[in-house]
Amino acid sequence: MLTDSLPNENATRKFKEFEYFGSKSDFSYYLLPFRFHNINEQREILVNEIGDFLIVPTGTAELIIERKINPIAYPELYGDLIANFFISEQPIPSLIDVLATRYRTKKSFLDYFTSLHIFVISLRCEHTCHYCQVSRVTSDKSRYDMSKEHIDAGIEMMMQSPNPHVTMEFQGGEALLAFDNIIYAVEKAKEAAIMRKKTVSYVICTNLAPLTEEMLIYFKENNILISTSLDGPDFIHNKNRHKPHSNSYQYAVNGIIKCREELGAENVSALLTTTNLSLQYPEEIVDEYVRLGFKNMFLRPISPYGFATRNEGKNKYVTQEFLEFYKKALKKIIQYNLDGHFIREDYASIILKKMLTPFPVGYVDLQSPAGLINSVIVFNYDGEIYATDESRMLAEMKDFTFKLGTLGINTYEEVFYGKKSLELSEAFLNESLPGCSDCAFQSYCGADPVFNYTTQGDIYGHRPTSSFCQRNMEIMRHLIELMDSDKKIEKIFRTWITGKN
């Protein structure tokens, strides 16, 4: 019980006076901002304001705060605390400018504003995936394709981004069912990029079933990247990603092989969505990715958006079940690496880059300020503009909370700096959110107002009951514990973020 740990019945959680945190006559240092968290019963982690961390014996944070660490009794620890900006011998550290520079570097993903522009080029699809998050329509309803007028307006808005390098990502439905529109959009974007002096990257998200030789040639000519879905062996993939009267697994595998041959393996990626069926086969799913020659895989939970929530028997599970699946799959991936076969887990790699390097990451779910608007914007097939891909999934359920405007009607300024964007900005900074502001993993995590709203009813969220929080905190704790327990694993993790075996 909490009361067991209190020193006396008059103990209080009231904030200490400012002078408490400064140096006193019998103390040798000042406290700098840091947070801490128990990794297990024996070890805890200290994390400073820029994400540098130290793994130390449990109780060390208390000794630091009580000014019981000194250079004579704890020479190595004392030196580490000074060097890593946990404590200072002066009120303002002599290397404060270095600390400021590193903080700016961590937040440099904000320098150029929105990069990723998602064009939902069509809502048509010939698959009937039970976890589909949007209200897909059958392939003969061409009125659900994005109009050329909306494509033009989307490109014009994309070109107004201050970012010199933008990404144009085509999604669906099944994007390849509107291949003519993709060609139109790419050619228009190429012309606009020359005029605006921008670089444009192109990505198509597809199940690969409609793939043709003509498409492959066009992909290669225009350096288009392919992102597909692979949920594991055929008995899982075919159940999860059903295609009536067809073998969706075989379509995916054949498409992956063809795209690799034409575009290069590095330009073809696959995503896994974890369903209830998937939870039972973590090792088999990893084996399948290795068998097909992938050097990376992304273990991601199912998203609680749109129509995916209607089939709870196949799609709903508690966070702990996913974490058990994740840890088993990660263990299998690590074992492959220990045996000399390189394959990385992408979600862990994103977190590890935030932990082990001074650089930011482009993954919008783990950014603060949040990735919505700052890093990504979505142009729906009907011309409506949303803060994130998840936002437009909510809109398919007639919830337009995160709608920012309409192509051809609202200006760039109205969309990106309007009332709705300003409202969201109040909740997309984890440094100022209750429960996040004092969390040891704050530097490695992000804020997600859309997830908070969907699962908890408001954009701010409630951390103690948030599955986003529970999942990320445990994955981060687990990664740190693995590194601390085995230097071979730490070395493997470092290869994941450097790409060097």
Side-chain angles (χ1 to χ4, degrees):
M1 295 177 62
L2 179 61
T3 53
D4 292 340
S5 61
L6 297 178
N8 59 65
E9 59 182 8
N10 296 317
T12 176
R13 296 186 66 186
K14 182 180 178 181
F15 284 115
K16 302 290 187 182
E17 297 297 329
F18 178 78
E19 290 74 15
Y20 176 84
F21 299 95
S23 180
K24 299 180 181 179
S25 58
D26 55 340
F27 295 155
S28 59
Y29 56 81
Y30 296 82
L31 296 178
L32 298 178
F34 74 90
R35 303 168 181 86
F36 55 94
H37 185 83
N38 283 342
I39 299 304
N40 49 46
E41 291 183 358
Q42 293 78 36
R43 308 284 273 172
E44 65 186 17
I45 185 171
L46 316 176
V47 187
N48 69 10
E49 199 71 356
I50 54 175
D52 291 343
F53 68 88
L54 295 174
I55 302 173
V56 294
T58 299
T60 301
E62 182 178 359
L63 293 176
I64 296 168
I65 294 166
E66 295 294 335
R67 313 303 204 288
K68 294 180 179 178
I69 302 296
N70 63 69
I72 298 175
Y74 303 92
E76 185 175 352
L77 175 60
Y78 188 86
D80 287 341
L81 293 171
I82 291 287
N84 291 283
F85 299 103
F86 288 92
I87 63 174
S88 173
E89 293 177 339
Q90 300 86 33
I92 299 177
S94 58
L95 297 178
I96 188 68
D97 289 343
V98 174
L99 186 67
T101 299
R102 294 186 61 192
Y103 191 85
R104 286 197 300 271
T105 301
K106 284 282 188 180
K107 299 295 184 181
S108 61
F109 64 88
L110 294 170
D111 287 353
Y112 299 111
F113 206 41
T114 318
S115 170
L116 177 59
H117 297 75
I118 296 175
F119 287 69
V120 183
I121 205 72
S122 176
L123 206 60
R124 293 184 286 145
C125 190
E126 28 50 85
H127 275 55
T128 57
C129 309
H130 63 73
Y131 57 60
C132 184
Q133 297 156 348
V134 296
S135 54
R136 60 187 177 272
V137 294
T138 53
S139 57
D140 61 345
K141 296 183 180 179
S142 58
R143 66 192 180 97
Y144 289 97
D145 290 359
M146 184 180 252
S147 70
K148 287 182 171 59
E149 291 75 18
H150 285 147
I151 292 173
D152 291 344
I155 292 171
E156 174 61 26
M157 189 165 286
M158 178 174 70
M159 290 298 161
Q160 291 182 64
S161 171
N163 200 316
H165 183 115
V166 294
T167 297
M168 190 177 195
E169 182 174 297
F170 299 102
Q171 291 192 13
E174 170 47 52
L176 294 185
L177 292 179
F179 183 58
D180 289 347
N181 273 3
I182 291 178
I183 294 176
Y184 176 84
V186 170
E187 296 305 318
K188 280 282 186 176
K190 285 161 61 177
E191 293 175 6
I194 293 172
M195 294 180 62
R196 301 294 184 93
K197 297 181 180 180
K198 289 186 184 292
T199 302
V200 183
S201 297
Y202 304 97
V203 181
I204 297 177
C205 299
T206 169
N207 60 42
L208 293 174
L211 183 68
T212 66
E213 292 300 322
E214 175 195 3
M215 294 175 184
L216 281 170
I217 293 170
Y218 189 78
F219 298 161
K220 186 172 183 178
E221 289 175 347
N222 292 278
N223 299 314
I224 296 175
L225 306 179
I226 298 299
S227 175
T228 191
S229 295
L230 181 69
D231 283 359
D234 54 358
F235 71 93
I236 299 176
H237 188 94
N238 283 331
K239 281 280 188 181
N240 286 353
R241 302 185 57 79
H242 180 65
K243 179 174 170 61
H245 314 296
S246 299
N247 187 326
S248 62
Y249 168 83
Q250 205 57 58
Y251 273 114
V253 172
N254 291 344
I256 289 168
I257 293 171
K258 289 178 181 178
C259 287
R260 282 175 174 172
E261 290 174 349
E262 194 68 33
L263 310 177
E266 69 280 4
N267 294 319
V268 184
S269 62
L271 283 175
L272 160 76
T273 299
T274 306
T275 62
N276 267 316
L277 176 62
S278 311
L279 293 176
Q280 304 171 46
Y281 302 99
E283 295 188 345
E284 290 83 353
I285 291 172
V286 173
D287 288 340
E288 181 68 11
Y289 268 75
V290 171
R291 188 185 72 81
L292 291 174
F294 282 99
K295 299 299 182 184
N296 63 297
M297 63 184 301
F298 199 130
L299 300 170
R300 62 174 185 165
I302 206 158
S303 299
Y305 305 105
F307 286 81
T309 59
R310 289 188 172 179
N311 197 334
E312 293 191 357
K314 295 180 179 179
N315 300 332
K316 189 172 183 179
Y317 45 78
V318 299
T319 302
Q320 188 57 40
E321 290 177 315
F322 172 77
L323 289 170
E324 291 172 4
F325 163 85
Y326 182 90
K327 291 176 183 179
K328 290 177 182 177
L330 183 65
K331 182 178 180 180
K332 183 71 172 180
I333 293 170
I334 291 171
Q335 189 57 54
Y336 267 112
N337 282 269
L338 289 171
D339 293 339
H341 186 103
F342 179 85
I343 179 171
R344 73 170 183 266
E345 199 284 303
D346 284 342
Y347 197 67
S349 300
I350 291 165
I351 295 170
L352 290 165
K353 184 176 181 181
K354 299 191 79 170
M355 288 180 174
L356 300 175
T357 80
F359 306 112
V361 300
Y363 185 64
V364 298
D365 289 5
L366 292 179
Q367 288 181 340
S368 178
L372 77 169
I373 304 174
N374 293 299
S375 297
V376 61
I377 199 79
V378 178
F379 306 132
N380 207 13
Y381 73 98
D382 55 4
E384 306 298 348
I385 304 170
Y386 296 98
T388 62
D389 197 29
E390 293 76 16
S391 304
R392 65 110 176 179
M393 296 169 188
L394 285 177
E396 297 297 337
M397 300 292 289
K398 309 304 180 186
D399 187 332
F400 302 98
T401 300
F402 298 94
K403 177 184 170 182
L404 302 178
T406 304
L407 289 170
I409 296 178
N410 296 106
T411 66
Y412 182 91
E413 288 72 19
E414 289 171 338
V415 170
F416 287 89
Y417 306 114
K419 181 180 178 181
K420 183 60 67 71
S421 295
L422 292 177
E423 289 174 355
L424 292 175
S425 71
E426 295 180 1
F428 66 25
L429 194 71
N430 72 2
E431 286 89 343
S432 62
L433 288 175
C436 289
S437 60
D438 55 359
C439 177
F441 302 136
Q442 179 222 90
S443 301
Y444 314 134
C445 201
D448 194 339
V450 182
F451 187 93
N452 294 338
Y453 172 83
T454 304
T455 58
Q456 298 184 307
D458 71 79
I459 61 175
Y460 296 92
H462 179 246
R463 252 52 64 193
T465 56
S466 168
S467 57
F468 177 88
C469 185
Q470 293 164 7
R471 181 176 69 251
N472 284 323
M473 283 191 70
E474 179 55 22
I475 289 176
M476 291 170 187
R477 187 206 66 79
H478 185 61
L479 293 175
I480 293 165
E481 185 175 46
L482 287 173
M483 286 191 289
D484 188 45
S485 65
D486 191 334
K487 292 303 177 184
K488 290 181 181 179
I489 294 178
E490 180 183 351
K491 184 177 180 181
I492 288 169
F493 285 170
R494 290 186 181 276
T495 68
W496 291 2
I497 59 178
T498 63
K500 298 178 181 179
N501 291 14

